[in-house]
Amino acid sequence: MGKFVTASSSASDFLPVLLMMVALLASSVESQLVANFYESSCPNAEAIITSAVNSAFNARPAAAPGVLRIHFHDCFVRGCDASVLIDSPSEKDAAANANSLQGFEVIDAAKTAIEKQCPGIVSCADISAMASQLSVKRLSGGRLTWRVPLGRRDGVVSSAAEVTGKIPAPTDTVATIKSTFAAVGLSTDEMVTLAGGHSVGVAGCGTIQNRLTDATLASTFDANFAAALKRQCPTGSTSKVNLDVTTPNRLDEVYYRNLQARKGLLQSDQALQIDPETQPIVARNTNPAVFNSKFVAAMIKMGNIGVLTGSQGQIRLNCRKFNA
Ligand code: HEM
């Protein structure tokens, strides 16, 4: 009789089998999303979404960084389930999202286009994941691209209170930011790499005001950069400033060179160059080949966080509202 069925087997005998089962379970969770998910239900889904998203980016280029951030804020709260897309009262009311999260019209445009061809088939969560990939592709001049695994379903809960502690703040310490990412299964390396999203887009002057005025924080800036920012952001200004001072509209590794030159915009950006664990990762990510491949891998991993699949959740008809 095999040793796994004898009554005298000890718990440790089962450990290899248990580990194998856990590994199988983990890989089946990861593979719940597939690239050709809509192949039979809506064969042109990816083409329709691509066309609508790119048109919306052409209409308002500043929306492209916005949708990348929307996907990040979606995935970190209840997984990538489009919970952040629901209109107020919702996650949109949380401080991390209110007034600054933007680009929702891109997802609306894609949803309207897809509903005309394939009603009730394609989730808002998948549209958001695809829009973020198309944003990265566009902003990297086509260098960073991948086929998005699909099959997410939309959540039925969206609460501002749940955002607290899940989306890092620019004033958070590196230790806090690391644990925010660890909470959704992302490593410190992946955190530093995804922070490369800050090589595009803008922040409000209000977001960096404390860094400009607090003497200790101000001393972490390059002096000329700080002087320029003070001119752009006088106290009380509601203007926006580029997150990447060197190549503001290009998603690339230059963000990390800015940090080394003490030209990171947010306190949390510059902190990555100060923390002893993240500093060597910043240095490695200045290599474009290293950054490009790690960024794509981390985006795919982020897009898998806590996804709803199968018969879970719903396929929303309007990304801003739960189905009646
Ligand atoms: C590491 C921790 C992070 C912190 C503390 C953080 C914080 C912020 C803040 C405060 C802003 C500016 C908000 C404003 O003033 O308008 C911002 C913008 C942005 N963030 Fe992050 N973020 C983090 C990670 C990420 C990640 C992982 C991504 C995507 C992969 C990302 C993508 C963006 C983009 C693209 C913008 C510009 C959005 C626009 O132009 O509308 N961020 N972030």
Side-chain angles (χ1 to χ4, degrees), residues 69-241:
R69 187 170 182 232
I70 287 174
H71 185 51
F72 159 50
H73 285 212
D74 180 30
C75 294
F76 272 51
V77 183
R78 290 193 160 261
C80 313
D81 70 341
S83 52
V84 78
L85 303 182
I86 294 291
D87 274 346
S88 175
S90 68
E91 288 176 20
K92 279 184 183 166
D93 303 318
N97 297 330
N99 308 320
S100 71
L101 208 57
Q102 57 90 24
F104 296 105
E105 84 271 17
V106 175
I107 292 156
D108 291 337
K111 184 62 174 170
T112 302
I114 203 89
E115 285 302 300
K116 279 188 195 143
Q117 302 290 322
C118 307
I121 302 285
V122 180
S123 68
C124 298
D126 274 348
I127 293 173
S128 175
M130 272 200 69
S132 73
Q133 179 268 331
L134 291 163
S135 160
V136 170
K137 183 175 179 183
R138 177 187 178 99
L139 293 166
S140 67
R143 286 169 309 123
L144 276 70
T145 189
W146 66 98
R147 182 113 185 252
V148 181
L150 299 169
R152 297 167 190 79
R153 290 177 60 91
D154 299 325
V156 292
V157 176
S158 178
S159 139
E162 282 193 1
V163 178
T164 310
K166 298 204 174 81
I167 300 293
T171 46
D172 281 345
T173 62
V174 172
T176 300
I177 297 174
K178 276 184 210 168
S179 60
T180 313
F181 278 67
V184 291
L186 294 173
S187 68
T188 300
D189 196 297
E190 287 161 338
M191 181 272 281
V192 176
T193 300
L194 286 168
H198 287 181
S199 75
V200 290
V202 293
C205 284
T207 306
I208 57 161
Q209 208 49 244
N210 69 324
R211 187 156 180 232
L212 289 170
T213 46
D214 176 304
T216 315
L217 291 174
S219 70
T220 60
F221 270 130
D222 166 83
N224 290 333
F225 179 50
L229 281 175
K230 275 191 176 149
R231 284 194 296 275
Q232 282 179 278
C233 287
T235 310
S237 166
T238 54
S239 301
K240 303 229 175 242
V241 273

